[in-house]
Amino acid sequence: MTQKTKRLYIFKAYERFWHWVQAVLMILMAITGFEIHGTYQLIGFNLAIDVHVYSAWSLIVLWILTIFWHITTGEFRHYLPRTEGVWKQIVYYTRGIFLGEDAPFHPSDRAKHNPLQRLAYLSLKVFMIPLIWFSGLLYLFYNDWATLGLTKLGLTLEMIAIVHVLAAFLILLFLVAHLYLITTGETIMQHMKSMITGWEDVPDHDEKTE
Amino acid sequence: MKSTHTKLLPLIGRRFFFVLCLLGNGAAFAATTSTADHSKFEALQVPFENIKEVNQACVSCHNMAESQLHKTIHWQWDYPLEGKDNAGKLNVINGYHPNVVSNIDTCDSCHIGFGLTKNTIEYIPEAAVDCLACHDTSGEYFYNRFHQSGAECAMCHDDGAEAEKARVKKEGERYTLSLTEMAQQAGETSVQTCGSCHFYDGGGDGAKHGDLDSALISATFEMDVHMSKDGAGLTCSSCHQSNDHQLFGSRYDASLPENNTGISALDGAQATCESCHGDRPMYDEKLNDHTDVVACQTCHIPSYARNGVATKTHWDWSTAGELDRKKRPDAKYDDEGRVIYSSFKGDLQYGADLTPVYRWYDGALSYTQVGAQAVDGETELTKTTVSAGDENAKIAPFHEFKSLLPIDSESRQLMPMYLAGSSRDAYWNGFDWKKSLSRGAKAADLDFSGDYEFAQTSMLWSLNHTVAPKEQALTCVDCHSKGGVLAEVTDVYIPGRAQHTLLDKMGLLALIAAVLGVLTHGALRWVFNRRRSRS
């Protein structure tokens, strides 16, 4: 790749902080969650519960801060869905990437994620995470269902458990795809580096072609 | 699931209240000096010939005691339950010595008075009471009482007291106080006085309940945190308090979960855990969240019959009656000295340090009356009456006891046995079931076809005593794991125990597919990349 590149500061300090803390907490919650679920024994049920619950509350606090950050900085715009370029990105992942073609999308100030990424992250943020939160909070406050009038609706702990576990599987699937797709930059470590330092090398196009 | 109104009382306040109660108890302990010294009473300075004379002397001062006692279950053996048949040992059948009605002479030795007559079937008429049965402080009276009134040996000694007779021959009588000396020491009830009946019922020490045996008299903290002197130092009557001789906390009407709140000591104890501890007594709020569906006893009595005294687990009456070569009743013992076969009783099995069985329970069991029909398979003589989600239903621990009892082959009715008495018809004299059962049927006003067989029965005994130190309580994984102790309680979702198998399978498959997918994609990228760089 002899293309001329320029360095772009894509991921702000808060964004990186949020990303990594969230990553650690979510992985902790997955490990402890499946232990509570009875899939395996690792750190012990009691400790697993404590870690799971404390991680959950930490994550909730983090998310409230992050939602605030997204709104006040306007960063939420990076997650608004676009159809334009989605198909190109799919074709790239299924064909172009093998043939060594140039990626159809490069991050810029206006759009730091490719169109497929936008959709994936959006579904994580507005579907999977709310699903696991909603079911998780109901799970946590199981004893207050009567006060909240939820038992009358025929809600059972088993239903909530199923939804919670389903959401966990969806997020794990997301994680597998995410961990792989971050290796598809110019170099394997390029995206990883940018999430650590905030800086990413992007092709230096002339302003005319932009 | 119900809203916990106990939150009204802040936790700190509740703990304080609990400590106050304990202190109150301790104070009561320290100051047991009565305002009356029985040894100085004139009425007690006479040489008593028999128990009845002692009791006449008692009631000459305690002139309300008799009429109070006559109204209690300890006298009546009859317990009316709203909308159900009466409970109480006069009416229900159990799997040990199954019934009272045809064994009046024998049961008289445990009854706290002299009201039992040959015709007792409906009720026990008022008569002289036996004060010292409960108010003896010497610890000797009950031997006197049971032996003096000619109790049938096999009632309390499974081997017909053969072992005891041998001991007496060798070591002599142990209990030598006169009735007068005992009467002059009359005082408050104690673990020992209550235990003289309730520890030894079912044919031996600890035989029946599983959580009540003689070890409680000098319990260590490990045996029972409440009754140990190193623990709360409580006695039976600390919880089973009484008004006018009427005691709270009969198992016939155990209001286990209904009184979920701590109640003022001024209102009298209710003999439930919650009446002192409330329903959120633990430091871990998540644990407290369990108390609406898990009884305290479930976690805090993790095993029972664990204090060195075994309890009976199985009794096969059908094998009774085998005599030795000299046609005398025989007994066989196991290595621990327990009677495993008795001609009087059949085959007996024991268990120690047992894991309870668990059932949904709201404090009410249904009982089986004498003459009730046996079902095919196992007849449950006591049954819990609620299931998951019912009002006040909690998972509670039980001692399960099984036995084979005689039934009429035609009517399938559980037949009352005539066990002991002067007649040859009594089973323990003649070893003839046909005669024993026909006399039993007659006493209970039942028909007996003359043909009998034995039916499998089971009983549940609610476990409430021998609460273990908290370090020994069940932990999360005892229930929240596959194959946990609540295996029999199937109608509830327990995280960690039950999983939605299909969801788990699909989820795992999807994950494997995703991992394989990305690995393949990555491998292809690598292959194509190499090919390009070579060309």
Side-chain angles (χ1 to χ4, degrees):
Chain A
M1 298 290 153
T2 50
Q3 211 172 9
K4 208 180 160 192
T5 58
K6 66 173 178 190
R7 297 197 81 202
L8 195 64
Y9 188 59
I10 312 186
F11 299 117
K12 320 265 181 313
Y14 177 78
E15 199 169 14
R16 283 176 281 138
F17 164 77
W18 156 54
H19 173 271
W20 288 115
V21 175
Q22 169 168 284
V24 169
L25 288 174
M26 285 175 103
I27 289 166
L28 270 180
M29 293 193 72
I31 293 170
T32 52
F34 277 97
E35 171 153 21
I36 295 162
H37 183 56
T39 312
Y40 46 75
Q41 281 183 18
L42 199 67
I43 60 169
F45 189 89
N46 309 25
L47 185 59
I49 293 264
D50 285 345
V51 172
H52 200 75
V53 171
Y54 284 117
S55 306
W57 284 116
S58 312
L59 203 51
I60 284 173
V61 171
L62 182 68
W63 259 68
I64 291 169
L65 290 175
T66 304
I67 289 169
F68 177 76
W69 178 82
H70 273 93
I71 293 170
T72 52
T73 58
E75 287 280 333
F76 67 89
R77 283 180 286 111
H78 291 284
Y79 303 95
L80 296 178
R82 271 193 202 164
T83 49
E84 191 194 333
V86 172
W87 185 245
K88 264 192 202 164
Q89 194 65 34
I90 293 173
V91 170
Y92 172 71
Y93 281 144
T94 51
R95 188 167 173 276
I97 194 169
F98 301 120
L99 302 177
E101 286 173 8
D102 191 17
F105 171 88
H106 293 287
S108 66
D109 287 334
R110 292 214 322 263
K112 54 175 82 160
H113 306 305
N114 77 47
L116 207 55
Q117 247 179 323
R118 277 175 178 254
L119 288 179
Y121 293 171
L122 184 70
S123 76
L124 179 73
K125 287 181 167 197
V126 305
F127 176 64
M128 298 181 212
I129 286 180
L131 193 65
I132 208 158
W133 271 33
F134 185 67
S135 54
L137 283 170
L138 279 176
Y139 217 137
L140 194 60
F141 289 100
Y142 174 62
N143 269 62
D144 300 299
W145 285 14
T147 330
L148 301 168
L150 291 169
T151 27
K152 285 185 205 125
L153 302 175
L155 208 59
T156 68
L157 189 62
E158 187 168 11
M159 291 176 199
I160 291 303
I162 287 174
V163 173
H164 200 62
V165 172
L166 176 73
F169 275 123
L170 290 178
I171 294 174
L172 273 183
L173 286 174
F174 172 89
L175 182 67
V176 171
H178 182 64
L179 285 176
Y180 175 68
L181 288 171
I182 60 162
T183 68
T184 60
E186 294 295 319
T187 65
I188 286 182
M189 290 303 288
Q190 182 203 18
H191 291 324
M192 179 63 116
K193 271 184 200 154
S194 67
M195 188 43 90
I196 294 170
T197 64
W199 292 92
E200 177 149 336
D201 294 324
V202 293
D204 191 10
H205 295 287
D206 287 340
E207 280 188 25
K208 285 174 230 163
T209 54
E210 180 64 22
Chain B
M1 234 41 61
K2 49 199 166 285
S3 67
T4 41
H5 45 291
T6 54
K7 277 175 187 156
L8 291 173
L9 251 170
L11 200 61
I12 298 290
R14 303 176 57 78
R15 292 237 164 83
F16 181 66
F17 170 73
F18 173 66
V19 169
L20 264 187
C21 288
L22 271 187
L23 284 177
N25 256 302
F29 244 105
T32 44
T33 43
S34 166
T35 50
D37 180 353
H38 282 80
S39 68
K40 303 259 163 65
F41 284 167
E42 222 169 279
L44 302 181
Q45 306 301 329
V46 287
F48 294 114
E49 287 290 313
N50 58 45
I51 294 167
K52 274 188 186 172
E53 283 179 19
V54 179
N55 295 307
Q56 274 164 9
C58 299
V59 298
S60 68
C61 293
H62 299 277
N63 55 14
M64 293 302 287
E66 269 186 323
S67 59
Q68 286 178 359
L69 259 170
H70 289 151
K71 297 191 185 80
T72 68
I73 187 173
H74 274 141
W75 181 269
Q76 296 181 342
W77 287 2
D78 188 16
Y79 201 90
L81 291 174
E82 214 171 304
K84 291 183 197 160
D85 289 327
N86 282 14
K89 64 172 90 263
L90 202 56
N91 308 294
V92 302
I93 193 163
N94 72 45
Y96 301 80
H97 301 116
N99 58 283
V100 167
V101 66
S102 50
N103 297 290
I104 295 298
D105 299 344
T106 315
C107 297
D108 190 39
S109 53
C110 284
H111 189 249
I112 53 153
F114 303 89
L116 288 173
T117 65
K118 280 212 159 51
N119 302 319
T120 297
I121 176 168
E122 294 291 332
Y123 68 95
I124 299 172
E126 291 171 6
V129 298
D130 179 1
C131 307
L132 285 180
C134 305
H135 294 285
D136 168 52
T137 63
S138 71
E140 291 199 9
Y141 176 76
F142 90 94
Y143 298 99
N144 235 295
R145 162 73 207 253
F146 292 166
H147 296 153
Q148 189 183 343
S149 49
E152 190 61 43
C153 309
M155 287 304 283
C156 306
H157 306 281
D158 280 327
D159 64 349
E162 289 306 320
E164 200 56 25
K165 283 176 209 160
R167 187 197 64 72
V168 172
K169 230 181 230 173
K170 218 167 96 196
E171 299 173 22
E173 294 277 356
R174 265 188 203 156
Y175 306 101
T176 50
L177 282 184
S178 71
L179 283 174
T180 305
E181 286 166 304
M182 286 186 246
Q184 291 182 356
Q185 295 175 38
E188 287 180 7
T189 62
S190 63
V191 176
Q192 215 160 351
T193 53
C194 300
S196 61
C197 289
H198 295 284
F199 292 164
Y200 295 94
D201 47 359
D205 191 4
K208 195 183 260 180
H209 297 266
D211 62 344
L212 291 176
D213 56 57
S214 65
L216 290 176
I217 294 170
S218 49
T220 63
F221 190 66
E222 274 65 36
M223 291 178 181
D224 189 309
V225 299
H226 295 118
M227 295 174 81
S228 159
K229 297 272 180 291
D230 305 324
L234 305 182
T235 65
C236 306
S237 62
S238 307
C239 299
H240 297 278
Q241 294 194 346
S242 61
N243 266 338
D244 300 340
H245 280 94
Q246 182 83 51
L247 280 99
F248 289 109
S250 166
R251 71 191 165 94
Y252 290 120
D253 197 9
S255 50
L256 165 81
E258 276 127 90
N259 297 308
N260 260 346
T261 50
I263 54 166
S264 163
L266 298 174
D267 293 337
Q270 302 284 307
T272 66
C273 308
E274 290 90 343
S275 59
C276 288
H277 295 279
D279 65 347
R280 301 188 75 82
M282 291 167 281
Y283 287 107
D284 185 327
E285 286 299 328
K286 195 66 209 170
L287 288 181
N288 284 332
D289 280 348
H290 287 71
T291 60
D292 54 346
V293 284
V294 182
C296 310
Q297 293 92 325
T298 297
C299 302
H300 291 282
I301 310 175
S303 70
Y304 65 97
R306 63 169 196 277
N307 296 339
V309 181
T311 192
K312 279 197 180 118
T313 55
H314 196 272
W315 186 329
D316 182 358
W317 277 100
S318 75
T319 58
E322 280 175 36
L323 305 176
D324 68 5
R325 268 174 283 155
K326 292 179 184 162
K327 297 274 171 206
R328 282 184 318 207
D330 198 11
K332 294 190 184 78
Y333 304 85
D334 67 5
D335 297 341
E336 319 270 339
R338 298 171 195 137
V339 180
I340 49 172
Y341 179 79
S342 152
S343 307
F344 298 111
K345 299 179 177 182
D347 286 301
L348 303 165
Q349 289 171 26
Y350 303 82
D353 203 5
L354 295 166
T355 304
V357 299
Y358 299 94
R359 300 279 187 275
W360 289 101
Y361 183 51
D362 67 347
L365 286 173
S366 74
Y367 293 89
T368 304
Q369 307 274 314
V370 174
Q373 273 199 321
V375 296
D376 291 335
E378 195 172 88
T379 304
E380 296 169 283
L381 299 181
T382 56
K383 255 190 289 198
T384 54
T385 53
V386 288
S387 51
D390 287 348
E391 197 182 356
N392 292 325
K394 296 184 184 191
I395 297 168
F398 292 90
H399 161 46
E400 191 177 43
F401 170 77
K402 302 198 178 213
S403 66
L404 271 86
L405 295 180
I407 60 168
D408 185 319
S409 296
E410 278 174 24
S411 68
R412 316 293 297 172
Q413 281 177 301
L414 287 156
M415 279 291 126
M417 304 171 177
Y418 173 40
L419 282 178
S422 49
S423 157
R424 289 293 293 171
D425 290 353
Y427 190 78
W428 287 347
N429 298 334
F431 299 100
D432 184 334
W433 278 123
K434 210 164 165 175
K435 285 180 182 159
S436 163
L437 298 181
S438 29
R439 276 285 290 269
K442 205 172 148 199
D445 227 355
L446 296 168
D447 291 324
F448 177 51
S449 70
D451 292 324
Y452 65 90
E453 58 194 82
F454 287 83
Q456 189 69 244
T457 69
S458 70
M459 292 190 88
L460 291 175
W461 292 86
S462 167
L463 295 169
N464 300 292
H465 310 93
T466 62
V467 168
K470 64 179 175 182
E471 292 75 19
Q472 289 165 28
L474 292 188
T475 59
C476 307
V477 275
D478 286 315
C479 303
H480 290 280
S481 60
K482 290 182 192 106
V485 298
L486 296 183
E488 286 166 297
V489 184
T490 50
D491 50 356
V492 60
Y493 182 82
I494 302 177
R497 180 181 80 164
Q499 289 87 17
H500 199 276
T501 334
L502 184 66
L503 174 64
D504 276 16
K505 268 189 192 150
M506 300 301 282
L508 194 64
L509 274 178
L511 274 177
I512 292 170
V515 170
L516 288 177
V518 298
L519 287 178
T520 314
H521 196 273
L524 284 174
R525 266 168 67 202
W526 184 74
V527 169
F528 276 97
N529 199 23
R530 262 177 80 94
R531 205 180 277 176
R532 270 202 315 279
S533 55
R534 275 182 191 169
S535 62

